[in-house]
Amino acid sequence: MRLQNDSLSFDDLLNFMKYARSTMGFCWMKSNPDKNSRLTGLKEKVYACALCEIAKTRHNSVFGEGNPDADIMFIGEGPGEQEDLSGRPFVGRAGKLLNKLLSSVGIKRESVYIANIIKCRPPGNRNPSESEITNCTPYLNRQIEIISPKLLFGLGKFAASYLFEADIPIGKLRGRYIKKGEVVISCSYHPAYLLRNPSASELFIDDLKKAIRCIDL
Ligand code: URA
């Protein structure tokens, strides 16, 4: 960090605050009441949604959570058992692994936003159906619009296919990135896959680091 006349310059301070916000979860630095109220309004719509059959079997809709001003937004597939019971994304085993992977690249979970392609748990953790994805993704799109992240990072094949608008295996899509308007889109393996294939965690870390380098944090 550069010193000017023994004191920090305004740019130094700004850069430090950007760094702190992105890595340490200093969410209070950029809190936006308008975003919060828009997200709350959207969450109410999601909680009331009954478009799919799986709305009947859910304990809770899992809207998503995190910093509404996040630069990075992670998109998973859909709630599992623990998420359905708690109403929060990525709180089960895959979520714990995701937290570890984020820490390993210096990201605090509280500094990012985490949502899913679908908001209700498919019974038995089956894959989301096409109609469920079609019904639910307008909510996700609205969430993305409100949060307006710099990086959208898909976790696993359903999120990757949706974000890249391409039906390509995750093994081929991972680590790639494209730009849609101002937003960088990238993806890697789903943490549940990494639980079964721990050696692929290194690839996930590489993919995430590469995507972060593409954005101006
Ligand atoms: N898997 C997902 O895709 N999302 C969650 O929230 C939890 C597990």
Side-chain angles (χ1 to χ4, degrees):
M1 192 172 275
R2 190 163 36 88
L3 288 176
Q4 276 183 353
N5 302 330
D6 287 340
S7 61
L8 293 178
S9 72
F10 179 74
D11 278 354
D12 287 333
L13 198 58
L14 203 63
N15 284 336
F16 170 73
M17 287 177 72
K18 277 188 183 175
Y19 172 77
R21 177 167 49 75
S22 65
T23 61
M24 296 181 227
F26 283 2
C27 310
W28 47 268
M29 285 184 173
K30 205 172 88 172
S31 85
N32 182 332
D34 184 44
K35 277 190 180 183
N36 281 327
S37 66
R38 284 153 74 203
L39 285 170
T40 302
L42 184 62
K43 192 189 276 187
E44 277 160 16
K45 291 200 175 104
V46 166
Y47 284 175
C49 183
L51 284 174
C52 306
E53 278 295 298
I54 54 175
K56 294 184 185 147
T57 50
R58 73 180 175 221
H59 291 95
N60 290 291
S61 310
V62 178
F63 179 70
E65 68 179 23
N67 174 7
D69 294 311
D71 287 323
I72 307 174
M73 184 164 173
F74 290 90
I75 315 288
E77 182 178 311
E81 186 182 18
Q82 295 306 312
E83 291 76 20
D84 174 60
L85 292 174
S86 66
R88 296 181 54 213
F90 282 98
V91 291
R93 285 179 65 227
K96 295 203 167 57
L97 177 58
L98 178 62
N99 296 347
K100 270 197 200 160
L101 293 164
L102 296 185
S103 306
S104 74
V105 297
I107 296 176
K108 280 235 156 106
R109 179 176 165 125
E110 310 76 63
S111 71
V112 301
Y113 199 93
I114 304 178
N116 281 308
I117 289 286
I118 62 167
K119 314 286 190 208
C120 296
R121 181 189 183 209
N125 293 347
R126 64 159 168 75
N127 290 338
S129 70
E130 268 182 38
S131 68
E132 287 157 2
I133 294 173
T134 304
N135 286 341
C136 214
T137 43
Y139 295 124
L140 176 66
N141 295 343
R142 185 86 189 99
Q143 233 168 345
I144 294 170
E145 200 181 298
I146 297 170
I147 292 157
S148 178
K150 291 181 178 174
L151 170 64
L152 275 171
F153 196 86
L155 303 169
K157 68 173 175 178
F158 286 94
S161 302
Y162 182 71
L163 295 174
F164 278 81
E165 299 178 71
D167 191 12
I168 298 174
I170 187 67
K172 295 224 163 78
L173 269 185
R174 57 151 280 266
R176 291 204 210 169
Y177 54 86
I178 52 169
K179 260 196 130 180
K180 275 192 196 168
E182 291 299 300
V183 191
V184 174
I185 313 268
S186 188
C187 66
S188 192
Y189 295 116
H190 192 285
Y193 171 85
L194 300 177
L195 285 172
R196 299 188 300 272
N197 300 274
S199 61
S201 291
E202 288 306 315
L203 299 175
F204 179 99
I205 290 170
D206 289 348
D207 297 343
L208 182 54
K209 281 184 178 164
K210 194 154 101 184
I212 291 171
R213 277 199 295 273
C214 292
I215 56 171
D216 172 33
L217 278 181

